[in-house]
Structure formats: C-alpha cells, structure tokens
Amino acid sequence: MLGPPDVSVVLAVHDVMPYLTECLDSLAAQTIGPARMEIVAIDDGSTDGSGAELDRFAQRFAGRMTVVHQPNSGGPAQPFNRGLEASTGRYVFFAGADDRLGPEALERMVTAADEWSSDVLLGKVVGVNSRHIFQDIFVRDQADLDLFDSPLPRSLANTKLFRRSLLDEHGIRYREDMRIGSDFPFTLAACFHARRVSVLSGYDFYYAVRRFSGSNVTYQSRHALRVQTAEKIVGYVAELLPAGKKRDALMVRRFDHELARLLEDDVLGLDRATQQMVHDAIGSIAADHLTDEIAARLAPETRIRLAVARDGDLDDLLAVIGQDARHGLPKTVERGGRRYASYPGFGRLPDADFDVTSTPDWDAKLDVTAAVWHRDQLILTATGNGAADLSAGAEDIEARVTRAGQRVEITFDLPAVIAASDPTGQRRILSAQVGAYDPMKAPGRFNATGASGGAAVRAPELERPRPRVVLTGRRASVVALVTDASGRLMLSVIPVNARQITARLTKR
C-alpha cells in the first residue's frame, strides 16, 4: 500500500473545458511522479463536461486521484476547503483548473521547501494569453521572504505550496462567505503565520491562463460583489494587524489594487444606484483606513479619486473620473508655494485632496493623441505637463523619447518588444517617468517606497490603429494598443500561427 504523498494538488473545478484537459495533462507529466503526489478535484456542479473529464483522467491516475462531484457552491472557497480536508499530502498546492504547471514544478518546489524548511513557497508564475502577472517578486531565489518588506503583498494568490501542518496548526481555511477573493485572506494568514516564506525564480513553475471568454467567476463579478469583497479584505487586514507600518504595508496594496479597480473609468457606465453604492463604500473605507503614509505611496489618480470619494459626493467623484476618461490631463495650478491638480471640485473640496506638490509622477502624466505603425516601429505622440527630463516605456521595455515643448514622441522598436515578451503572450502597461527610466518604477511594480511609481499613459481621445502582425524569424505575433478598465494604455503581444493570420486577413 502506498504511503502518504509528499504533495497534494487541490483543484476546484467549474465549467473550465477545454482548459481543464491541459491542466490535467500538466499534472500527469510532473517529474515528481505519481508515488509522491495526489490530486483531489472537486467538481463544483460543472455543466460543460468538466466532471466527465475528471472521471476519465482519474482512471489514468488510478489510486492517486480523488474526484468529488457536488452541486455548485457559487465560488471556489467551499470546493477548496473540501479538497483540503480530503487530501493527505505533507504539502498542499492549490491550482486553478484552467491553468497548468511546468513539468518539474512540484518536484522543484517540494525539494526546496524541504531544504529551506519553508511553510509557504512561491514558484515563478507567468501569464498566458496576455494575462498580466507582476514579476517583481521573482527577480531571484529567496529562502526567507519578509511579508512586510517585499513585493509579497502584491502576490497573495493561493497558487503556492503550503505546508499542511501550518494550515492545520492555525486553522487556516478559505472564507466561504466570500464568493470571490477568498484566496487573499487564506494566503495572507498562511504567510503571516509562516516561519518561513520562500520564492523560486529560475523556472516557469505555473502558467496562469487568461481565458479568451473571460468566463470565470472573478472576471464576471459585478461591482456590488467586488465592493463586498473589498470591504471584507480590508476588514480582515485591520483585524489581523494593529494600526502602524506593518498594517500600512499590507493596506497600500489593497488601496492600490482592489479599491483602485472599483474607481476605474468603467464606473461612469454603471447605473446611478450602483455608482452611489460604490462611492459610499469606498468613501467609508478611505475615511477609516487611508492614512497619509498610504496615500503618499499611491499613484496620483488613485489617491485623488479615493480622497474625493471620502470628502465629496457622488457627482464630485464622477466628475473627476470623467476628466481623466473623456477630457484628459487637467491643468496644474500653483498657489501658496503648493501645486494642485485642477480637477473638478478643486477650490471647493479640501485642497489637500488635489495636492501634487511632492508627487513627481504627476509631472510624468501624458495623454497620447496619435499612434502610427512605421515600418518596425510604433510611434506615439502625446502631450503632458512639460517635464523636461522625461522617459517612457512598457514596464521592462524602454522606449525612445523626443520632445518639442509640450509635444512628446515615444517610439517602440517592435522586434525588441516581441523578443522581450513571453512566448505565450504578454500585455504591458505604458508609463512615463521623470528622470532616467527605471522598470521597477513602472505602474504595478514594487519599489523602495513599497508601492508603484511612474504615471500610466492615457489616451482618452485616441483613435487606436489596427493591430499589426509582426514576423520575427519563425515567430508571428499580433501587436496591438489596448486600454484596460481604467483607461490605461497597454501594449499587447499575442503569438499567432499561420491559420490564425489567414483567418484574420480573410475577415478583413
């Protein structure tokens, strides 16, 4: 009889075909071997054949795979809890059923966790189909990572290796009252109580897949559910830690991510009642938890929107968001030795809400007004605040910048963009900075102050050019300018094959 495995892989499965097959195949290919691993899959009321695919695979993995079928629970928390209780491995790895693992992932992680006595271990995660994954935590292998002085608060998804004894000792389980976001308090609790959190960077351990259909529960969730989730996440952090620097280190990511995303440009398209709900909830959270230290570490757009939600009414907030989304960069006003962003409401709401005196990122803000493909280049024309020493790029790719007065020209070399992109595709946020370009100051990156830097490039009135197919050797990619829900301009690279190119040309 086989003994307990070294690692249990737990899957919460709901309508993930055909991605599920690739996920299961990647588990079958693990070099750790079936004698050292088990799979526990909870079919959470699938209706697309996912349950049958699990049963078929269980026959291939006889004796080391458990499949449980149950009615749909509404989210992954309950299936993950049930899978955790049914598993027996020394370590537990929670995987998305639409994602996949590198062949050596589990073997490498278990070996490192045993060597380092790690309670939680992160392996490098890469995005597939242009899914954006922050890479700052994966710059090097680290045996001992500090929760409060590292990029870890930006990387608290549950796709990690957890020591079972840690989870049981502290009763760490998923919150079943959270339909989305339940992995955050689970992973935060594990990292908080862990004696050691480690990271491995030299191998692509986990491939996080962006579904083209956008059909998973997180992508589909609406603002009411996202507001409730944000309230619970912020509340959990406040319960876990007393006010102070450590709490702020965790809270800044919550304001920079969950709360900022609730105040993106798409708020303008919501019905009035939902807009009011968002305003009231975010304003209340900001009043209770937005300290000066956190505000100083946020991008100016985010900080101003949070302050206006706190101090103004709904129409004030909509006017500020509308300025960015529809009209572009507001003027900068100097008064009494201070500098202010003259958004609607400035002069009536507290001046401090609009103060950008000590915010160098404000001077880097740009609005792109034109974009053209020229041979193997993408050339953007933009206007800004007139900063003389300006640089720009797309995260880890620096662009060439030339300027004439208020006019700024940004040039990307497409072969370099493609060469630096993951073979599975990648999307990068375009940003500008005052001074020499630093990839670690790109929006969404962690820097020495504990938050992102730079100013995301916007294009509220830009007529974007058609995507362009670029050939580099045997590799073909579609390069496109896209915008996210907050109006930030992004450079997208998606690999394509000959059949897809032919279909695109035929459609045109």
Side-chain angles (χ1 to χ4, degrees), residues 188 232-243 247 250-251 289:
L188 175 57
K232 290 175 180 177
I233 286 175
V234 169
Y236 181 77
V237 174
E239 291 175 4
L240 186 67
L241 291 163
R247 182 197 281 185
L250 298 182
M251 282 290 194
H289 300 294

Side-chain angles (χ1 to χ4, degrees), residues 166-314:
L166 170 78
L167 303 180
D168 291 342
E169 177 184 353
H170 296 282
I172 299 171
R173 295 297 185 268
Y174 292 87
R175 287 184 53 167
E176 296 184 13
D177 64 335
M178 296 178 67
R179 186 178 174 219
I180 61 173
S182 60
D183 60 335
F184 171 80
F186 178 94
T187 308
L188 175 57
C191 292
F192 178 75
H193 291 292
R195 289 169 288 273
R196 175 167 287 179
V197 180
S198 307
V199 61
L200 291 173
S201 62
Y203 179 77
D204 291 346
F205 289 83
Y206 192 87
Y207 295 86
V209 178
R210 173 175 170 259
R211 298 192 212 175
F212 287 117
S213 63
S215 58
N216 73 18
V217 67
T218 302
Y219 290 140
Q220 288 182 331
S221 57
R222 299 188 181 278
H223 275 76
L225 178 57
R226 290 166 58 195
V227 165
Q228 295 168 9
T229 302
E231 290 174 326
K232 290 175 180 177
I233 286 175
V234 169
Y236 181 77
V237 174
E239 291 175 4
L240 186 67
L241 291 163
K245 290 185 177 180
K246 288 187 174 181
R247 182 197 281 185
D248 285 351
L250 298 182
M251 282 290 194
V252 68
R253 173 57 171 160
R254 313 298 45 101
F255 279 98
D256 189 38
H257 184 64
E258 287 93 356
L259 299 181
R261 290 179 66 182
L262 286 166
L263 296 179
E264 291 180 336
D265 294 2
D266 58 357
V267 169
L268 299 173
L270 302 176
D271 63 84
R272 181 77 178 184
T274 303
Q275 290 173 335
Q276 189 69 58
M277 178 269 298
V278 170
H279 167 271
D280 294 348
I282 300 303
S284 177
I285 293 173
D288 292 339
H289 300 294
L290 182 60
T291 65
D292 291 341
E293 290 74 14
I294 293 174
R297 293 157 65 178
L298 298 174
E301 283 182 12
T302 298
R303 176 169 53 81
I304 290 169
R305 292 183 186 192
L306 287 166
V308 171
R310 179 191 62 202
D311 298 331
D313 60 23
L314 172 59

Side-chain angles (χ1 to χ4, degrees), residues 334-482:
E334 296 191 15
R335 179 187 297 172
R338 308 293 296 178
R339 302 173 71 233
Y340 301 93
S342 58
Y343 281 97
F346 173 63
R348 180 170 49 82
L349 298 175
D351 283 357
D353 291 356
F354 305 94
D355 194 325
V356 293
T357 307
S358 302
T359 309
D361 295 344
W362 179 255
D363 290 330
K365 284 178 64 64
L366 294 173
D367 289 333
V368 172
T369 56
V372 296
W373 307 109
H374 178 67
R375 297 179 182 173
D376 60 351
Q377 297 176 336
L378 170 63
I379 302 174
L380 309 176
T381 302
T383 58
N385 281 321
D389 186 13
L390 199 67
S391 60
E395 298 185 21
D396 54 340
I397 301 173
E398 184 174 2
R400 294 193 302 278
V401 175
T402 57
R403 60 177 309 114
Q406 298 292 105
R407 183 177 180 273
V408 179
E409 189 171 275
I410 303 170
T411 302
F412 287 96
D413 292 322
L414 298 183
V417 170
I418 293 172
S421 298
D422 192 274
T424 61
Q426 196 163 352
R427 286 188 302 172
R428 291 178 170 87
I429 302 169
L430 273 62
S431 67
Q433 301 173 18
V434 174
Y437 187 74
D438 182 354
M440 297 307 293
K441 291 183 179 180
R445 295 296 184 93
F446 179 92
N447 60 34
T449 66
S452 60
V457 173
R458 281 181 162 270
E461 299 180 352
L462 175 67
E463 183 176 343
R464 297 196 302 271
R466 287 179 177 272
R468 181 160 183 171
V469 176
V470 179
L471 299 176
T472 53
R474 296 184 177 181
R475 184 177 176 184
S477 303
V478 172
V479 183
L481 280 175
V482 299

Side-chain angles (χ1 to χ4, degrees), residues 16-28:
V16 285
M17 292 295 288
Y19 303 95
L20 176 61
T21 301
E22 291 189 18
C23 175
L24 296 174
D25 284 341
S26 77
L27 297 179

